[in-house]
Amino acid sequence: MPQGKPAVVPTDGLTTRQRRNRPLVVLHTGDMKGKSTAAFGLALRGWNQGWSIGVFQFVKSAKWKVGEESAFRALGRLHEQTGEGGPVEWHKMGEGWSWTRKQGSEEDHAAAALEGWREISRRLADQRHGLYVLDEFTYPMHWGWVDVDEVVSTLRARAGNQHVVITGRYAPAALVEAADLVVEMTKVKHPMDDGQKGQRGIEW
Amino acid sequence: MPQGKPAVVPTDGLTTRQRRNRPLVVLHTGDMKGKSTAAFGLALRGWNQGWSIGVFQFVKSAKWKVGEESAFRALGRLHEQTGEGGPVEWHKMGEGWSWTRKQGSEEDHAAAALEGWREISRRLADQRHGLYVLDEFTYPMHWGWVDVDEVVSTLRARAGNQHVVITGRYAPAALVEAADLVVEMTKVKHPMDDGQKGQRGIEW
C-alpha cells in the first residue's frame, strides 16, 4: 500500500489535483497468479465510484474467469436496478466478441484479437468507459497479432478520464515504457510445485 | 495463469480429487500494489461458488478499501435477496470489530488485532466460512501483536474446506513456509515515482 508522499516533486506544470486525477495505464505482468484477480479487484473500486467498467477478455480460456464474470454481471444488474455503482460490460474473444455477428465461429484468433483491439480503440475515442480491463491482452501483442506501437500511441492519445488495466505475461517493452504503473507478480511458492492441480473457486 | 500440468507427481497418498480440493493458505506479499486487490478478485471466484466469504481488515486504514467493501456488501445483499453467490461478512478492526461491544473506542491496536485473530480462530474451528480474507494480517504478526506460531498451528489444524488468503508486506518466514501459494507483488514502475499521488477509484 503506497504511502501519501510522492518520491519526487514533479516538474510537469500540472496542479496536484490535475496530476492526481491523471488517468492511468496499469500493467499486471509476471509469471504468477494474481494479475487478473488484481485487475478485477481494482475494477471493484472503479465500479463503486460509478465508473463504466468495460472488460475485454483476450485469449480463449473462458472457464478461468467465470467467477469474476458472474460477480461483475451481478454488479452490473444491480446498477441497472438500483443505480448503485457503475454499469458493466463484459466481452469475450473466446465466445466471439459480443458486438460482432460471427458468434462462436471464429477460427482465426489473430483476426479476432485485432477486431477486439479495434473495438477498444473506437471506445477509447468515444470515451465509453471509465475503466477498461484488457485481460490477457499482452499475448496478442507478444504474438504479433496486434501492433504494440499502435496500442501505445492510441493509449497515449486517449482523451478524458479513462483508466486502462492490461494483464498478462510477456509484456512488450514499449508497453512497460508507456504504462504508468507496472506490477510484476512473482512466484514464491505454488501448490502445483507439490503436484496439486487447479481447483474451483481458486483458479476460476 | 498456471497451466494444467503439475511439476511433479506427488507421493502424499491422496487421490487427484482429494489433492485438487485441498483447501489453501494463500499469501500475497511484497512491496507493490495488488496484494489486496488480488485477494478480493479471488474472493469474487469464491462468492460465485456460493462460498461464505469472511473479510477481516486488520490495520486502521478504512478509506483504502471502500470500493471493495461496497461491492462485496452489494454482492452479499444480492445473495440474501436472490440466493445468487454466497453470503458475505466484512469486519474492520479500524472501526471496532463488529462482533465486539467496544465500537470505535479501541486505543490498543495490539489488543484489537489479537481479538480479531481470536475471533478468526473460533470461526475456523466452527468452519464458518469457505474463504477468509485476512487483509493486512501480516503486520500484526510482524509487529509481534499476534503470535505467528499460533497462527501457523491454527491454520495447519483447521478442518473442512476452508481457504485462507492473507495479505501484507513483511510476511513472517514461518507463514511463508506454512502457506501453499505465495505471490510477491514487485514494483516495476509506480506513478508516485513521478510525483503523482493516489486517486479515487484506483487507490481506494
Side-chain angles (χ1 to χ4, degrees):
Chain A
M1 185 182 54
Q3 305 304 311
K5 283 262 170 65
V8 297
V9 176
T11 56
D12 52 17
L14 298 174
T15 66
T16 299
R17 176 180 291 269
Q18 286 170 326
R19 196 176 307 106
R20 177 184 282 266
N21 291 325
R22 193 175 57 186
L24 300 179
V25 173
V26 177
L27 175 59
H28 293 169
T29 190
D31 288 341
M32 191 49 171
K33 282 169 66 73
K35 298 183 287 293
S36 297
T37 44
F40 292 118
L42 198 59
L44 291 177
R45 296 181 183 168
W47 178 83
N48 184 54
Q49 293 296 333
W51 298 352
S52 169
I53 307 297
V55 179
F56 302 84
Q57 288 195 282
F58 287 82
V59 181
K60 289 206 182 200
S61 59
K63 95 165 187 176
W64 293 90
K65 309 291 162 55
V66 290
E68 293 93 322
E69 182 179 351
S70 296
F72 270 97
R73 287 193 188 279
L75 291 171
R77 286 196 306 277
L78 194 71
H79 172 76
E80 286 169 22
Q81 288 159 11
T82 69
E84 190 173 351
V88 176
E89 283 191 46
W90 191 290
H91 301 282
K92 284 189 277 201
M93 188 178 104
E95 302 187 354
W97 297 109
S98 44
W99 60 81
T100 69
R101 302 254 171 80
K102 312 178 270 178
Q103 295 284 342
S105 66
E106 289 161 315
E107 284 305 300
D108 186 341
H109 296 184
L114 189 58
E115 188 172 26
W117 164 246
R118 296 270 184 252
E119 174 69 16
I120 291 159
S121 293
R122 287 188 291 271
R123 287 170 182 240
L124 286 166
D126 295 345
Q127 301 187 39
R128 281 275 288 278
H129 301 290
L131 179 72
Y132 298 72
V133 177
L134 310 188
D135 193 39
E136 307 196 42
F137 185 47
T138 54
Y139 300 99
M141 287 185 274
H142 177 67
W143 296 327
W145 297 351
V146 173
D147 181 55
V148 63
D149 293 332
E150 184 191 316
V151 171
V152 165
S153 62
T154 303
L155 291 176
R156 286 219 163 104
R158 79 194 188 284
N161 196 39
Q162 304 180 91
H163 300 274
V164 180
V165 187
I166 298 172
T167 76
R169 299 177 185 200
Y170 316 127
L175 185 67
V176 173
E177 171 65 27
D180 301 292
L181 193 156
V182 182
V183 186
E184 185 169 3
M185 277 65 175
T186 318
K187 182 173 87 168
V188 177
K189 188 195 279 188
H190 195 286
M192 287 184 198
D193 298 343
D194 296 324
Q196 185 166 6
K197 300 190 84 179
Q199 62 182 304
R200 181 183 303 173
I202 297 293
E203 305 287 346
W204 65 87
Chain B
M1 185 180 55
Q3 304 304 312
K5 284 261 170 67
V8 297
V9 177
T11 55
D12 52 16
L14 299 175
T15 66
T16 299
R17 175 179 290 270
Q18 286 171 327
R19 196 176 306 106
R20 178 185 280 266
N21 291 325
R22 193 175 58 185
L24 300 180
V25 173
V26 177
L27 175 60
H28 293 169
T29 191
D31 288 340
M32 190 50 171
K33 282 168 67 73
K35 298 184 287 293
S36 296
T37 43
F40 292 117
L42 198 59
L44 291 178
R45 296 181 184 169
W47 178 84
N48 184 55
Q49 293 296 334
W51 298 353
S52 169
I53 307 297
V55 179
F56 302 85
Q57 288 194 281
F58 287 81
V59 180
K60 289 205 183 202
S61 60
K63 96 166 186 173
W64 292 92
K65 309 290 163 53
V66 289
E68 292 92 323
E69 182 179 352
S70 296
F72 271 97
R73 286 192 188 280
L75 291 171
R77 285 195 307 276
L78 194 71
H79 172 75
E80 286 169 21
Q81 288 159 11
T82 68
E84 190 172 352
V88 176
E89 283 191 46
W90 191 290
H91 302 282
K92 284 189 280 201
M93 187 179 106
E95 303 186 352
W97 296 110
S98 44
W99 58 83
T100 69
R101 301 254 170 80
K102 312 177 269 177
Q103 295 284 340
S105 66
E106 289 160 315
E107 284 306 301
D108 187 342
H109 296 186
L114 189 57
E115 187 172 25
W117 165 246
R118 296 271 184 254
E119 173 70 16
I120 291 160
S121 293
R122 287 189 291 269
R123 287 172 183 239
L124 285 166
D126 294 345
Q127 302 188 38
R128 280 276 287 278
H129 301 290
L131 179 73
Y132 298 73
V133 177
L134 311 188
D135 193 39
E136 306 196 41
F137 184 49
T138 54
Y139 300 100
M141 287 185 272
H142 177 67
W143 295 326
W145 297 351
V146 174
D147 180 55
V148 63
D149 293 332
E150 184 190 317
V151 171
V152 166
S153 63
T154 303
L155 291 176
R156 286 218 163 104
R158 78 194 188 285
N161 196 38
Q162 304 180 90
H163 299 275
V164 180
V165 187
I166 298 172
T167 76
R169 299 177 186 201
Y170 316 126
L175 185 67
V176 173
E177 171 65 26
D180 301 291
L181 192 156
V182 183
V183 186
E184 185 168 3
M185 277 66 175
T186 318
K187 183 173 86 166
V188 178
K189 190 195 277 188
H190 195 287
M192 287 183 197
D193 298 341
D194 297 323
Q196 184 166 7
K197 300 190 84 179
Q199 61 182 304
R200 181 183 305 172
I202 297 294
E203 304 288 346
W204 65 86

